[in-house]
Amino acid sequence: MYTGFQHLHSFLAYLFLAVMLAAVIHYIIALSKKKDFGKASGLLAVTGLSLAHLQLVVGIVLYFLSPLGFANFGADAMGESLQRLYIVEHPLINIIGIVLITIGYSMAKRSATAVKKHKRLLIFYGIGTFLILLRIPWQVWP
Ligand code: HEM
Ligand code: HEM
């Protein structure tokens, strides 16, 4: 159970980061060329959002299965940077990143023009992904 969720969370991380990178590049090009909000723009937005939400659910389950998550919560582990990353920094910062991505999607959906939609998605997906990249356990992954 633990190993399965660990592998799923690691696999989804590749997929999520690849889609977010593609989305950010796509929105930069779309904005600079003043393109319409076409099929690709919408598909990248909804795929990125779904992967973020799926990763959130898998991450929360993993937090309670992993010996590095909730089970390790305590004063001793807080003093160790990698252990603190798993217990608080990674979950907290990544949840904030996912919330920003969701806000961006929601705002873009309600925006009237292609420029506004692309701009909101670029800003919120960009900042959300940047935050998530800051708190990936790079010492052990990929
Ligand atoms: C989009 C958001 C997220 C991304 C891209 C992400 C990515 C990753 C990556 C790359 C690892 C290392 C995997 C490995 O060592 O093979 C990891 C580990 C972990 N993540 Fe996330 N994560 C995200 C969100 C979350 C959230 C929201 C939680 C919990 C609430 C969470 C909990 C964990 C835990 C507990 C581990 C350690 C698992 C273990 O090796 O025992 N993650 N995450
Ligand atoms: C803790 C679990 C979850 C929470 C709190 C959550 C929350 C939300 C919220 C607040 C929105 C609204 C965004 C908007 O304004 O349009 C949304 C949309 C969405 N979520 Fe989640 N979600 C969760 C899990 C999932 C999962 C597991 C998936 C499936 C992969 C998913 C896929 C989607 C999709 C596709 C949309 C966009 C719907 C649309 O087109 O408007 N979510 N979610």
Side-chain angles (χ1 to χ4, degrees):
M1 191 63 173
Y2 166 48
T3 312
F5 269 88
Q6 201 182 19
H7 285 150
L8 181 62
H9 194 65
S10 172
F11 169 72
L12 282 173
Y14 285 109
L15 217 60
F16 168 76
L17 291 176
V19 170
M20 293 313 265
L21 181 69
V24 165
I25 293 171
H26 178 88
Y27 298 139
I28 291 173
I29 294 172
L31 272 173
S32 67
K33 295 192 172 168
K34 297 199 166 46
K35 287 193 174 173
D36 284 345
F37 194 85
K39 235 183 191 163
S41 295
L43 203 59
L44 283 167
V46 79
T47 310
L49 181 77
S50 305
L51 288 171
H53 285 180
L54 199 56
Q55 187 70 319
L56 171 69
V57 174
V58 173
I60 291 170
V61 174
L62 190 56
Y63 192 74
F64 292 98
L65 291 177
S66 169
L68 301 170
F70 187 70
N72 196 27
F73 211 105
D76 286 349
M78 284 298 170
E80 271 276 347
S81 70
L82 184 61
Q83 295 189 47
R84 188 176 59 242
L85 177 77
Y86 282 123
I87 302 170
V88 283
E89 295 171 0
H90 176 80
L92 207 65
I93 298 293
N94 287 10
I95 288 172
I96 294 171
I98 294 166
V99 167
L100 286 176
I101 289 165
T102 308
I103 291 172
Y105 180 88
S106 188
M107 286 175 76
K109 205 168 67 176
R110 287 183 276 109
S111 300
T113 67
V115 170
K116 275 189 185 156
K117 283 177 191 283
H118 283 136
K119 212 179 260 174
R120 301 222 154 115
L121 285 168
L122 175 60
I123 291 169
F124 283 91
Y125 277 39
I127 295 173
T129 309
F130 179 72
L131 286 180
I132 288 166
L133 285 174
L134 287 180
R135 280 298 172 269
I136 290 221
W138 293 113
Q139 297 97 318
V140 300
W141 189 85

